[in-house]
Amino acid sequence: MPQQRLGRVQWGDLTFGPGTPYAVTAVEGLDDLPDIRGEDVERPGQHGDYTGPDFTGPRTVQLGLGLHAASPDELRALTLALRNATQPQRQPAPLQFLDQGTLVYAKVRRRSIPYDAEYLWRTGSAALELYCADPYLYGLEEQSASTTTYSPAAGRSYPLTYGFTSVTLNTNSDFETTLAPWVGNTATAARVSTQAHSGSWSMQVTPNGTSATPRSESEKFPVSAGTKYRAQGWLRCVSARTLGLNVNWYDAASVYMTTSFNSQPVAANTWTFFNGAFTPPAGAAFAQLAATVNGTPPATDLLFGDELAFQQDFPTGVRAYGSAGDTGRVTAVNAGASDAFPVLRLDGPVSDPAIEQVTTGGILTLDADLQAGEYLLIDTRSRAVLFMGSSPRRTWVRAGSSWPVLQPGPNELAYRGSALPGAPGQESLLTITWRDTSL
């Protein structure tokens, strides 16, 4: 919740404000509007000007600090720590106002730590002037949203055939309300809102870095021998690994029997759809769905799962239709009052990808082919286009393209692209990252 009190301020490894030996006594320039750089021209032979757009200059933030110590030696240590943390810089660093949810990117331009013998024993004062070439005020939390490329509905296939309908047996497969009853095994399972394939939530499994095949498992469900079941859903991992959406079988006493595997390799940070049909082995009375990382990955290799379903298939006697397709659209909400410049990541495989800012109508199109495992980073502020995050590919931007920005409020973006030959069924992913932005 927004609050008027300043609270804590973070600069590098130092924190100023409540609960620290550095009291913040004054702040100037944070909520002030920087100097305006107007593009006005005189009206020849008339009163007044022709006014053009207004732009702001850099922002200057001034902090007044009070140093409180228990002894002269401790006061000297606080002074030296502040001096060491405010050295000249090559590049701006984040100045974070933690309790106001705001940050600016700044460089120290002036520092004053006067020596006052009258207050030598326990207290001192300091003043900092920080220069922000980028005047924007950013939200502390970096937000992201993602979508796969647009895919049309498959429609009805001919000749007409009879199909199946499925009833999902496990509960809360999209994790929109709670993680239960999913539990981690040699891993930590958590419900997160940062990597959802659909909706707002997914499951995150964090390996412990020592045990093989870390996984998260659902509760057990009754099954019948000879009945057809299906396990399906979306999985992704931070690194390229072999993942599995497997089924564990248990007898009538809930004693483990065996596992039916549905595993495949996946590219790094790429949602992959798993879909397998299973029939319980003889003696099986219960089943359990398990999202698994094969091998012993480090704790940094997070596994994400969404729309994980264990289903029973029933013949319907109705005509079968193809998949409903995917709109390829995503909504990004900029809660600030100024345009935000997002960073876009495109993961292959895809040919000639295009990102449309539906809200304003602009389209950014790239004449490029990205193979599975390849990605492109696009910084819409600097207009850098980096293949695999490092190699410039600015020439891939098609002439006449428009660079998407996020206006205040909700922004709808659409992701388009063509499938690469030899990669049927593989989906490309667009990930948008931004911060709420104001002046």
Side-chain angles (χ1 to χ4, degrees):
M1 178 178 180
Q3 55 185 357
Q4 178 62 20
R5 63 182 180 182
L6 182 70
R8 298 164 299 150
V9 180
Q10 183 83 33
W11 174 254
D13 294 330
L14 288 185
T15 302
F16 313 136
T20 77
Y22 301 97
V24 180
T25 60
V27 178
E28 293 184 20
L30 181 63
D31 290 325
D32 299 340
L33 184 67
D35 291 339
I36 294 293
R37 187 178 70 245
E39 296 195 351
D40 305 324
V41 295
E42 296 180 355
R43 293 184 178 183
Q46 301 181 56
H47 298 290
D49 289 344
Y50 291 110
T51 186
D54 289 346
F55 299 97
T56 66
R59 181 184 299 275
T60 299
V61 177
Q62 295 179 333
L63 292 180
L65 302 176
L67 284 60
H68 301 281
S71 67
D73 289 343
E74 184 178 331
L75 182 60
R76 183 57 180 166
L78 293 177
T79 299
L80 292 177
L82 181 60
R83 188 183 72 183
N84 293 339
T86 52
Q87 297 292 308
Q89 305 161 235
R90 288 183 177 272
Q91 296 296 329
L95 174 64
Q96 304 177 69
F97 297 85
L98 302 177
D99 297 318
Q100 290 195 340
T102 301
L103 72 82
V104 294
Y105 293 97
K107 298 169 74 173
V108 175
R109 283 291 170 88
R110 295 189 66 184
R111 175 187 66 219
S112 173
I113 311 179
Y115 177 88
D116 191 338
E118 185 176 355
Y119 299 101
L120 176 62
W121 180 249
R122 294 181 180 176
T123 63
S125 62
L128 303 177
E129 183 176 283
L130 298 109
Y131 166 78
C132 308
D134 178 357
Y136 284 107
L137 306 174
Y138 295 102
L140 278 181
E141 181 182 358
E142 188 174 68
Q143 303 183 69
S144 66
S146 59
T147 181
T148 55
T149 52
Y150 164 78
S151 59
R156 183 185 294 178
S157 58
Y158 291 87
L160 297 177
T161 61
Y162 289 93
F164 289 85
T165 184
S166 295
V167 175
T168 303
L169 301 181
N170 66 310
T171 58
N172 194 31
S173 58
D174 55 3
F175 308 104
E176 290 301 291
T177 57
T178 177
L179 182 67
W182 289 78
V183 296
N185 192 331
T186 68
T188 300
R191 175 174 169 263
V192 296
S193 59
T194 56
Q195 296 288 343
H197 174 267
S198 299
S200 302
W201 297 89
S202 67
M203 173 185 67
Q204 174 183 296
V205 178
T206 306
N208 61 12
T210 59
S211 302
T213 62
R215 60 194 179 274
S216 187
E217 299 170 333
S218 73
E219 78 272 39
K220 301 181 182 69
F221 304 98
V223 293
S224 301
T227 301
K228 180 181 177 182
Y229 296 90
R230 183 172 300 278
Q232 63 183 25
W234 296 87
L235 297 177
R236 67 180 292 179
C237 188
V238 170
S239 298
R241 292 197 173 276
T242 297
L243 305 181
L245 190 58
N246 307 325
V247 180
N248 301 324
W249 305 104
Y250 296 83
D251 63 18
S254 289
V255 177
Y256 171 77
M257 298 175 59
T258 185
T259 298
S260 296
F261 293 96
N262 177 20
S263 302
Q264 59 179 301
V266 301
N269 285 313
T270 301
W271 283 108
T272 302
F273 185 66
F274 286 70
N275 185 19
F278 304 99
T279 301
F286 298 95
Q288 183 183 54
L289 190 60
T292 305
V293 187
N294 289 6
T296 308
T300 55
D301 275 10
L302 305 179
L303 164 69
F304 295 94
D306 197 6
E307 297 183 306
L308 307 181
F310 185 69
Q311 303 173 320
Q312 181 178 354
D313 287 345
F314 295 95
T316 63
V318 298
R319 291 165 178 155
Y321 287 80
S323 62
D326 196 309
T327 63
R329 296 196 176 197
V330 65
T331 299
V333 179
N334 172 17
S338 301
D339 289 346
F341 294 87
V343 174
L344 311 174
R345 172 169 171 149
L346 281 61
D347 284 274
V350 66
S351 178
D352 297 334
I355 302 99
E356 178 186 359
Q357 222 291 19
V358 179
T359 309
T360 60
I363 301 177
L364 174 65
T365 305
L366 299 140
D367 294 318
D369 291 343
L370 295 177
Q371 304 295 328
E374 296 180 341
Y375 69 92
L376 203 63
L377 281 183
I378 303 172
D379 187 333
T380 59
R381 176 182 291 280
S382 64
R383 300 192 174 181
V385 180
L386 302 177
F387 177 67
M388 301 303 285
S390 58
S391 302
R393 293 293 188 273
R394 182 65 173 78
T395 56
W396 285 0
V397 177
R398 184 175 297 178
S401 290
S402 176
W403 297 81
V405 296
L406 304 182
Q407 297 179 334
N411 295 261
E412 187 176 15
L413 291 91
Y415 184 34
R416 307 284 186 263
S418 302
L420 286 178
Q426 298 187 42
E427 293 184 315
S428 175
L429 187 71
L430 165 67
T431 302
I432 308 163
T433 305
W434 76 97
R435 294 181 187 270
D436 297 334
T437 305
S438 296
L439 275 172

